[in-house]
Amino acid sequence: MYQFSIPVPVEFSYDRCIEFLLRSPKEILHSVADGKVYKAILLKDFVALTEVGFSNRQIMVTVLNAGPDFKDHFIIEEYISQWFDLYTDLKPFYAMAQNDKLLSQLVDQFYGYRIVGQPDLFESLAWAVIGQQINLSFAYTLKQRFVESFGYKQVAQDKTFYLFPTPEEVARLNDVDLLPLQFSKQKSKYVVEIAKAFVNQEVSKESIAKLSFEEAKQKLMSIKGVGNWTANYALMKTFRYPNAFPLEDAGVHNAIKNLKRMKTKPTLDQVSRVFKKYKGWEAYATLYLWKSL
DNA sequence: CGCCAGGTTAGAG
DNA sequence: CTCTAACATGGC
């Protein structure tokens, strides 16, 4: 095995991020045991089976199936840094949120909680589409079936590691494959459309990373099935824009309704008005509002 | 049984 | 540009 560590910012709580990783028992792309996370990470010609722990303010990484001469550890370091959003400086966000009625208590209570994301763009978009307009529990059921059916599986050291299906694999699918998993026709079509966009090289993480925020959003929304909510979800979870904002998100609406003790959910216009205060930090405001639910 | 869920699209006004 | 119906199925 091969071990290395990653230092973390002061404003980082490993425990809060683990809480998020534990939010569904049906999660299949990682497992948590004894405070450690187990996840398969795809490199160019190697599936790294990693164990992630935390001590002395450092993320401790063990690549279970690599030798001491392992050369690609920096790729895994980059992946994990993106996964836990270690590059974002949260000081300005906390300074703003401390004085905000809706957020002050939340940022105090969940200090150091970061947007645990998806460094893989296809996974991010496909997962967002899977979660469109259905409850989270059912969304995890669909994801579990999808990954078990079309993803990569490897068992090692008593644990099962899965990789999300690749665009190449998903581009070959259609209704006949996905309807039995209880995807709707619409969801099935969208997921395959997205996969094809990757295979056609119409979109890729690298090419979209070069664009501006607005251009990236438009590019993502040009894919059928990717609307404003999904595009912003990916901009937040994959590209790490702190100003990405899924305006239509039902969770955000419910959080505002609860915190402001409203009788009904706010209109999109009211949500926009609330978020005016969070300009530049919409993604993190969203995260902490979600956490309030 | 009814309402809602981490929405999107196409079409009408 | 904004509003609406249709999509579609489980969770509670």
Side-chain angles (χ1 to χ4, degrees):
Chain A
M1 58 189 191
Y2 184 94
Q3 295 185 292
F4 65 96
S5 60
I6 309 172
V8 300
V10 174
E11 303 83 10
F12 173 81
S13 166
Y14 180 75
D15 291 344
R16 294 301 178 202
C17 293
I18 294 300
E19 257 174 47
F20 174 81
L21 292 174
L22 282 167
R23 79 179 167 155
S24 172
K26 297 175 203 159
E27 176 59 64
I28 190 169
L29 295 178
H30 60 257
S31 57
V32 181
D34 210 13
K36 288 174 177 162
V37 189
Y38 297 84
K39 184 173 182 64
I41 298 174
L42 178 63
L43 309 185
K44 271 197 167 43
D45 52 0
F46 179 61
V47 177
L49 307 180
T50 59
E51 177 192 85
V52 175
F54 191 69
S55 73
N56 298 320
R57 297 302 301 166
Q58 307 224 23
I59 290 179
M60 314 296 288
V61 183
T62 305
V63 184
L64 301 169
N65 57 339
D69 58 340
F70 182 56
K71 294 283 190 295
D72 287 340
H73 71 274
F74 62 91
I75 302 178
I76 295 177
E77 177 172 347
E78 177 67 22
Y79 182 98
I80 290 173
S81 300
Q82 287 190 31
W83 187 21
F84 290 103
D85 197 20
L86 299 182
Y87 297 137
T88 299
D89 178 10
L90 286 185
K91 287 188 185 75
F93 169 69
Y94 283 145
M96 178 274 289
Q98 263 172 7
N99 301 312
D100 182 74
K101 203 154 187 233
L102 258 47
L103 295 179
S104 60
Q105 205 200 319
L106 292 168
V107 295
D108 187 48
Q109 189 178 354
F110 304 115
Y111 180 81
Y113 180 35
R114 284 173 183 253
I115 299 171
V116 179
Q118 287 145 337
D120 182 273
L121 179 60
F122 175 64
E123 180 191 328
S124 181
L125 290 171
W127 166 233
V129 166
I130 286 171
Q132 283 173 1
Q133 187 56 20
I134 59 175
N135 63 66
L136 216 49
S137 175
F138 184 43
Y140 272 106
T141 300
L142 293 182
K143 170 167 144 178
Q144 182 175 29
R145 291 173 183 162
F146 185 62
V147 174
E148 280 175 347
S149 301
F150 309 111
Y152 170 86
K153 176 182 176 182
Q154 185 174 348
V155 179
Q157 299 196 3
D158 226 27
K159 294 179 166 56
T160 308
F161 296 82
Y162 285 95
L163 285 174
F164 199 75
T166 63
E168 288 73 19
E169 286 159 341
V170 179
R172 285 194 285 267
L173 304 178
N174 61 42
D175 286 3
V176 179
D177 306 295
L178 293 171
L179 296 187
L181 311 191
Q182 287 180 292
F183 278 54
S184 65
K185 283 181 196 160
Q186 181 175 250
K187 246 184 231 314
S188 162
K189 200 171 67 188
Y190 289 168
V191 169
V192 175
E193 279 296 312
I194 292 169
K196 285 179 176 167
F198 277 82
V199 173
N200 300 340
Q201 305 196 36
E202 202 176 303
V203 298
S204 68
K205 183 177 179 183
E206 294 69 31
S207 64
I208 291 182
K210 289 176 188 155
L211 305 177
S212 70
F213 177 80
E214 284 301 328
E215 287 170 336
K217 183 158 71 180
Q218 289 312 314
K219 184 72 190 169
L220 291 171
M221 287 179 65
S222 71
I223 309 170
K224 275 264 188 314
V226 179
N228 184 67
W229 179 86
T230 305
N232 276 282
Y233 182 91
L235 290 168
M236 166 177 174
K237 293 273 193 168
T238 300
F239 294 104
R240 297 331 201 148
Y241 282 102
N243 58 324
F245 177 36
L247 171 66
E248 300 84 353
D249 186 80
V252 169
H253 303 171
N254 282 325
I256 291 174
K257 171 173 168 270
N258 296 341
L259 293 169
K260 292 176 87 88
R261 303 175 192 285
M262 299 164 73
K263 286 199 186 103
T264 57
K265 295 202 307 182
T267 63
L268 291 183
D269 202 50
Q270 287 174 304
V271 177
S272 298
R273 251 174 276 160
V274 169
F275 267 73
K276 256 191 171 159
K277 301 191 289 278
Y278 311 145
K279 199 159 186 60
W281 287 102
E282 290 88 343
Y284 266 90
T286 296
L287 181 77
Y288 281 87
L289 289 177
W290 279 343
K291 187 69 180 167
S292 76
L293 295 170

